[in-house]
Amino acid sequence: MESYDFAVIGGGSAGYAAAATASRLGLKTVVVEGGKDVGGLCILRGCMPSKALLSSAHRAALVREAGEFGIHARLEGIDGVQIQSRKRALVEDFASYRRGQLESGRFTFLRGKARFKNDRELEVFSPDAHARSLTAKTFLIATGSHIEPAPIQGLKETGYLDSDAWLECDEVPQSIIVLGGGAIALEAATFYSNLGCKVTILQRSSRVLKESDPDVSAAVENGLQKRGVVVRTGVQILSIQRSGALKTVYFEQQNQRHQVDAEEILYALGRSPSTEPLGITGIGIALSNGRVFTHSTQQSSIPHIFAAGDVCGPLEVVHIAIQQGEIAARNAHRLLNSPDAELESIDYRLKLSAVFSEPSVATVGMSESEAAQKDIPFLSASYPFSDHGRSMVDGHLDGFVKLIVHARSREILGGAVVGPQAAELIQEIVVAMAFRSTAGSLSRIPHYHPTLSEIWTYPAEDLSEPA
């Protein structure tokens, strides 16, 4: 039976990052990947394919809006097959690179589904059902997440696209109902809307992006509605059925019954951690709300078994999954070589998220709601894109930027962008927060004019230390 220092279950972003780190540290490492394809969620069914599709749809929107800028252009049609062909070529390029990394020989790479026999031994079932066992001194669970549809009456019988299937669909319907108001839902709604599809969003919570501050959610909703997307929040979905060529969703909103029809339905109500096939509860690994419970060291309730990525959360974003995986590998190395050494902890102070909808959204650090919940004295200031020179020139008038600072020290605690290039603009605040910058320090940094980034100087000046 083969024995390893570090066994990684899952070859996605978190798993590969952990394996590469462990290998560099000299640990004998194995990666077990049980998916049909190799690459992980981000490459195969998440970040990269969705952004490739959004890039195509964005160009369609630019053609439609060209008249405002004095350009006579006409959108003559949408070629869904070509859009998908371009996306698939890009995804295969990314995936083949990841396969090459996993098969580079720096560590052992096995294809098959893993299951714990005990807390030191794995049984791996290859695609041909052949089983082999291996042991390891430390483990990392990085099995990601999967789609688990809610029990909505008529959903399965009527048929629908899920957050994987829409990424593979060659046909663009004339109308679509999007169930959900999170990142996947808003990006899909933007894709279809930009291609000229009539889009209706049905969100169970009182607002989209429910974890964000209310002003962020409101600005996103307003921007989507300006682009023709119908947003219905605070709804309870009652049932779904087919009505001829259309699909009908019956729902309740403010104690009134409604219905909406469309050619297609997209289910985007979230994903669930992939823990069930591993047999982890049988060896005593604790779960929290279905996820593997982890300490800040990425250790599970069994100290030599770590977890990273969607399977443990708390944030389902790739850069954090990678960070978690790398920390787990370094801590596994410490555990094996210096048992008494202090282990590394992850710091979510710079937690960063982005949604590539239109308008796009990005946040870093604390929201106002989080600061209030933690009884941290704070101040905030915002500035709208509708009054900013460069965004006015570019025709991007929706949204705003916001800074949140500690009321006494004026250190920047968080930031938010709703508007153009949000994911790029937020990086300036990430860097400022990494260096513990105050609003006053940020306000004194030169910004070229006219640029989108200089918009940060306005809330920074408002929040600068009193003279």
Side-chain angles (χ1 to χ4, degrees):
M1 184 184 301
E2 193 75 12
S3 182
Y4 297 89
D5 296 318
F6 190 52
V8 179
I9 309 172
S13 297
Y16 169 71
T21 300
S23 177
R24 284 194 297 270
L25 292 171
L27 298 186
K28 184 180 180 182
T29 302
V30 60
V31 176
V32 181
E33 171 56 54
K36 177 183 176 183
D37 300 305
V38 177
L41 178 63
C42 175
I43 291 175
L44 299 174
R45 300 179 302 281
C47 313
M48 305 316 292
S50 63
K51 303 314 170 281
L53 296 182
L54 283 165
S55 184
S56 291
H58 177 63
R59 281 159 174 76
L62 290 178
V63 174
R64 286 197 178 89
E65 297 164 0
E68 177 187 346
F69 297 86
I71 306 299
H72 299 291
R74 183 175 62 207
L75 187 65
E76 296 186 349
I78 301 297
D79 187 340
V81 173
Q82 178 58 30
I83 290 173
Q84 285 290 342
S85 177
R86 176 180 183 272
K87 181 220 71 178
R88 288 170 184 143
L90 287 167
V91 169
E92 173 54 29
D93 189 32
F94 300 138
S96 64
Y97 183 73
R98 174 55 52 79
R99 288 196 298 270
Q101 291 176 313
L102 289 166
E103 296 169 354
S104 65
R106 289 176 292 169
F107 42 78
T108 302
F109 179 55
L110 303 177
R111 296 297 307 277
K113 295 187 180 299
R115 184 176 180 84
F116 282 97
K117 294 181 72 173
N118 55 60
D119 68 352
R120 298 284 181 178
E121 185 177 351
L122 282 181
E123 194 167 25
V124 180
F125 299 89
S126 65
D128 62 3
H130 176 73
R132 64 189 292 180
S133 295
L134 61 89
T135 62
K137 298 173 184 175
T138 59
F139 296 84
L140 174 71
I141 301 170
T143 46
S145 61
H146 63 277
I147 298 166
E148 191 171 317
I152 300 173
Q153 181 182 338
L155 176 64
K156 182 178 180 180
E157 294 78 6
T158 302
Y160 61 96
L161 299 175
D162 60 28
S163 56
D164 289 348
W166 82 272
L167 298 172
E168 294 295 331
C169 191
D170 291 338
E171 297 182 2
V172 179
Q174 292 187 350
S175 56
I176 190 166
I177 302 164
V178 178
L179 306 181
I184 294 173
L186 298 189
E187 290 184 358
T190 295
F191 169 75
Y192 284 111
S193 176
N194 281 352
L195 293 182
C197 178
K198 180 182 177 183
V199 179
T200 301
I201 292 174
L202 298 181
Q203 164 71 332
R204 294 172 295 183
S205 300
S206 59
R207 49 195 174 88
V208 300
L209 299 178
K210 61 183 181 180
E211 305 300 330
S212 300
D213 280 329
D215 56 349
V216 171
S217 298
V220 175
E221 287 185 26
N222 184 56
L224 287 168
Q225 290 167 342
K226 284 185 179 179
R227 290 164 174 80
V229 176
V230 177
V231 181
R232 306 289 293 267
T233 58
V235 308
Q236 179 186 357
I237 299 172
L238 302 174
S239 64
I240 298 173
Q241 69 179 39
R242 182 176 290 278
S243 305
L246 299 178
K247 300 175 181 181
T248 302
V249 177
Y250 296 93
F251 62 96
E252 191 174 273
Q253 184 182 38
Q254 295 180 340
N255 298 318
Q256 292 187 334
R257 186 183 174 95
H258 303 271
Q259 71 180 66
V260 60
D261 304 313
E263 286 188 6
E264 191 54 270
I265 293 172
L266 171 61
Y267 180 93
L269 293 174
R271 303 177 67 90
S272 299
S274 297
T275 60
E276 190 61 34
L278 298 174
I280 58 177
T281 56
I283 62 171
I285 293 180
L287 301 181
S288 176
N289 296 320
R291 301 180 186 276
V292 176
F293 168 80
T294 55
H295 300 278
S296 61
T297 57
Q298 299 307 132
Q299 291 171 291
S300 72
S301 55
I302 298 178
H304 67 274
I305 300 179
F306 298 80
D310 289 1
V311 76
C312 64
L315 303 169
E316 298 177 2
V317 287
V318 172
H319 73 279
I320 288 179
I322 291 171
Q323 184 183 8
Q324 290 173 333
E326 291 171 343
I327 288 173
R330 290 193 290 269
N331 282 341
H333 180 261
R334 288 189 178 99
L335 207 61
L336 294 177
N337 292 277
S338 304
D340 296 328
E342 183 178 353
L343 299 185
E344 181 180 348
S345 291
I346 193 166
D347 179 8
Y348 292 116
R349 185 176 66 88
L350 298 179
K351 65 178 181 180
L352 176 65
S353 67
V355 183
F356 294 82
S357 53
E358 288 186 17
S360 58
V361 190
T363 61
V364 64
M366 284 188 189
S367 64
E368 292 183 74
S369 302
E370 289 173 307
Q373 289 170 4
K374 295 179 179 181
D375 292 325
I376 296 174
F378 70 91
L379 298 171
S380 68
S382 61
Y383 197 85
F385 282 106
S386 61
D387 193 42
H388 181 55
R390 182 53 194 260
S391 54
M392 293 168 70
V393 167
D394 290 344
H396 298 303
L397 305 181
D398 293 324
F400 61 90
V401 297
K402 177 171 68 172
L403 281 181
I404 302 163
V405 302
H406 194 284
R408 290 190 291 272
S409 69
R410 303 301 173 97
E411 180 182 336
I412 299 172
L413 301 177
V417 185
V418 180
Q421 299 295 319
E424 305 296 334
L425 286 175
I426 201 67
Q427 296 299 327
E428 180 169 350
I429 307 307
V430 176
V431 173
M433 288 180 62
F435 287 97
R436 300 279 183 179
S437 175
T438 64
S441 297
L442 178 61
S443 71
R444 291 188 290 272
I445 295 175
H447 288 71
Y448 197 82
H449 176 78
T451 60
L452 286 175
S453 62
E454 66 178 331
I455 194 172
W456 286 117
T457 62
Y458 300 112
E461 287 170 357
D462 289 344
L463 295 170
S464 294
E465 298 83 353

